[in-house]
Amino acid sequence: MLLSLPALHLQTSEYHPLLQLPHGRLGPWCSPTGSPAPLSCETGCGEGSWILVCRLLVPTQVSLLSMEEDIDTRKINNSFLRDHSYATEADIISTVEFNHTGELLATGDKGGRVVIFQREQESKNQVHRRGEYNVYSTFQSHEPEFDYLKSLEIEEKINKIRWLPQQNAAYFLLSTNDKTVKLWKVSERDKRPEGYNLKDEEGRLRDPATITTLRVPVLRPMDLMVEATPRRVFANAHTYHINSISVNSDYETYMSADDLRINLWNFEITNQSFNIVDIKPANMEELTEVITAAEFHPHHCNTFVYSSSKGTIRLCDMRASALCDRHTKFFEEPEDPSNRSFFSEIISSISDVKFSHSGRYIMTRDYLTVKVWDLNMENRPIETYQVHDYLRSKLCSLYENDCIFDKFECVWNGSDSVIMTGSYNNFFRMFDRNTKRDVTLEASRENSKPRAILKPRKVCVGGKRRKDEISVDSLDFSKKILHTAWHPSENIIAVAATNNLYIFQDKVN
């Protein structure tokens, strides 16, 4: 799905990035790359040889995909590829997430739809299909709404999806738009009951007077049907737009964060939440920062972090007090005076924060860099990776076309040894933490042949450009990789670009 997401941002000609937007929206504050080297085998990422497994397209109309259609119609993969120039803004992918086993991959789009892909089962005569994903279920998660009291239009766009660990045959996931979080159950049904006494074959009630015999209902086999049903709806708790949801390690609670507040929910209670962070000042004119992302610790249910538009990260402990208005740890890097510019405050805003799987580190993404922080060292990050430092000279034009407000995400691989994040021109970057090597790869339609090996790309900053390089002035800023996901245990990655979803795997995988 190739989606280029228009960034949610302030109208820069009229508003300062930290002032309140119309309709109650708060805007996000709002080493030059060398020759890309292959990633090391020791880290489990192969030798930089990533191959395209499949390119998937989100169906443009969910209603066209009936759950009862023939199973072949649900396999929308390479056979579905054609020029989708008619793709609308609603088809733009806005989030990507693997489940805990990696067998399912969920995407959400700006049209409020959730499409779930299932991994193809490996067979002896189809070894080449290992890692390929096909459409498993698709459903409309959110609809556009209008708040008449506030004259506020609520978009249906899916901001985040989070899976719950599988406890039985069904799957559960959380999806959220700007205001409402929903808990969905996705289950399979391959049998149907027949032989009702009080209903006919069409399901209509029968006249009891006409019933002369009793039948024992039986279950008959039927074509596999995947059903998605909403089990909980958590609404009316956020004044501003939700930017993050995170499931707690106790699997009984989760939190949702907007620009100024973080709420804690119990999965069984939909009409009440607990406010655990509130940074809204008494006078909105005194507002200096907003919350940009939040996440629970992967192992300690009492600990969570949230990032701000000032480039700071706060670690909070819910055991200290009910309202975590005082942080336990505060992570901030002193600003380098030599890099100070008009745009310093904007590009320092953190767009994503992620705990490592081990829980020892925190990874953050700002506009130009990815940083890794040790929980035991607050004064500076232990690692800093330049994603696209060649754009530093282009910040003025990026400010004018609003790209400077784009929110890039970042992800860890399963062993926390490699990190990945997106860039422009449909480039995405991988950084090996052990060898300090990096590689730039591209997800594009031109390279969308199945099993094709990705060639490392290099951006030429100045001087004579080589044949395999691309000039920084030739980058397409309308093509951007904002959302990526990494399989929890294997070297399989999902990269969202506009309305296309590219799935790659390491060649040696």
Side-chain angles (χ1 to χ4, degrees), residues 369-401:
T369 66
V370 172
K371 297 174 182 176
V372 177
W373 303 75
D374 190 316
L375 287 185
N376 298 320
M377 189 168 72
E378 304 172 47
N379 59 338
R380 61 183 175 86
I382 59 172
E383 300 164 24
T384 299
Y385 302 97
Q386 300 293 336
V387 179
H388 39 216
D389 200 54
Y390 46 79
L391 295 182
R392 195 175 292 275
S393 62
K394 303 284 184 183
L395 292 179
C396 186
S397 58
L398 291 167
Y399 180 82
E400 292 174 352
N401 63 17

Side-chain angles (χ1 to χ4, degrees), residues 7 13 53 93 134 139 141 175 189 224 268 294 299 321-322 324 332 351 357 360 366 373 448 456 484 503:
S13 59
V53 177
I93 300 176
N134 292 301
F139 58 91
S141 175
S175 64
R189 187 151 62 93
L224 178 66
E268 301 300 323
H299 310 304
S321 62
C324 299
E332 183 178 25
S351 57
H357 296 87
R360 170 71 184 274
D366 56 43
W373 303 75
S448 60
T484 58
I503 299 179

Side-chain angles (χ1 to χ4, degrees), residues 44-305:
C45 260
E47 297 180 349
S49 298
W50 289 82
I51 60 175
L52 175 68
V53 177
C54 54
R55 178 164 73 93
L56 302 153
L57 294 158
V58 175
T60 54
Q61 290 293 332
V62 167
S63 59
L64 298 180
L65 272 178
S66 169
M67 298 293 184
E68 300 178 3
E69 289 184 41
D70 186 84
I71 191 169
D72 290 337
T73 65
R74 294 194 290 115
K75 294 190 174 183
I76 302 178
N77 48 23
N78 301 295
S79 61
F80 192 71
L81 296 182
R82 51 183 183 269
D83 184 13
H84 279 246
S85 56
Y86 60 83
T88 64
E89 187 178 0
D91 300 318
I92 294 176
I93 300 176
S94 53
T95 185
V96 183
E97 188 79 8
F98 279 103
N99 74 339
H100 289 73
T101 64
E103 294 304 305
L104 297 181
L105 174 64
T107 67
D109 62 26
K110 296 195 72 175
R113 297 170 297 228
V114 172
V115 180
I116 301 175
F117 300 93
Q118 185 181 46
R119 190 176 186 181
E120 188 78 18
Q121 295 298 316
E122 184 179 2
S123 61
K124 293 181 180 179
N125 56 352
Q126 288 184 319
V127 179
H128 69 281
R129 295 184 68 122
R130 185 172 181 229
E132 186 170 318
Y133 286 75
N134 292 301
V135 171
Y136 176 68
S137 176
T138 201
F139 58 91
Q140 189 74 31
S141 175
H142 287 72
E143 300 282 357
E145 301 175 40
F146 191 82
D147 187 334
Y148 293 96
L149 294 178
K150 299 179 181 177
S151 296
L152 172 65
E153 185 178 359
I154 303 172
E155 293 181 340
E156 64 271 35
K157 169 178 170 276
I158 306 298
N159 292 338
K160 295 290 180 182
I161 290 175
R162 291 291 180 265
W163 290 92
L164 276 67
Q166 188 176 5
Q167 303 293 334
N168 49 43
Y171 302 96
F172 289 86
L173 62 85
L174 288 171
S175 64
T176 183
N177 66 349
D178 286 338
K179 298 291 183 181
T180 304
V181 183
K182 294 184 180 181
L183 174 65
W184 289 88
K185 176 184 179 181
V186 181
S187 56
E188 296 181 354
R189 187 151 62 93
D190 58 0
K191 294 181 176 63
R192 67 170 179 269
E194 288 185 359
Y196 287 110
N197 289 286
L198 299 179
K199 295 180 181 179
D200 59 21
E201 298 304 324
E202 283 71 38
R204 295 187 296 264
L205 289 175
R206 299 169 59 189
D207 183 0
T210 63
I211 301 175
T212 58
T213 59
L214 292 178
R215 295 183 295 176
V216 177
V218 295
L219 293 175
R220 301 288 186 194
M222 59 176 285
D223 292 337
L224 178 66
M225 184 169 67
V226 181
E227 297 177 315
T229 53
R231 300 304 301 269
R232 304 278 191 278
V233 178
F234 307 88
N236 306 318
H238 286 276
T239 303
Y240 302 99
H241 293 186
I242 299 173
N243 55 46
S244 303
I245 51 175
S246 180
V247 179
N248 202 346
S249 58
D250 61 11
Y251 303 128
E252 294 182 1
T253 58
Y254 76 93
M255 69 177 175
S256 56
D258 64 23
D259 295 316
L260 295 180
R261 296 187 179 95
I262 300 177
N263 293 332
L264 180 68
W265 299 83
N266 186 295
F267 280 109
E268 301 300 323
I269 302 172
T270 61
N271 61 352
Q272 186 179 25
S273 65
F274 297 93
N275 180 224
I276 54 177
V277 172
D278 187 349
I279 66 170
K280 183 179 180 180
N283 183 359
M284 285 295 286
E285 293 182 359
E286 299 174 359
L287 180 66
T288 59
E289 63 181 334
V290 296
I291 298 170
T292 56
E295 186 175 65
F296 269 119
H297 191 283
H299 310 304
H300 303 312
C301 62
N302 53 282
T303 308
F304 67 94
V305 296

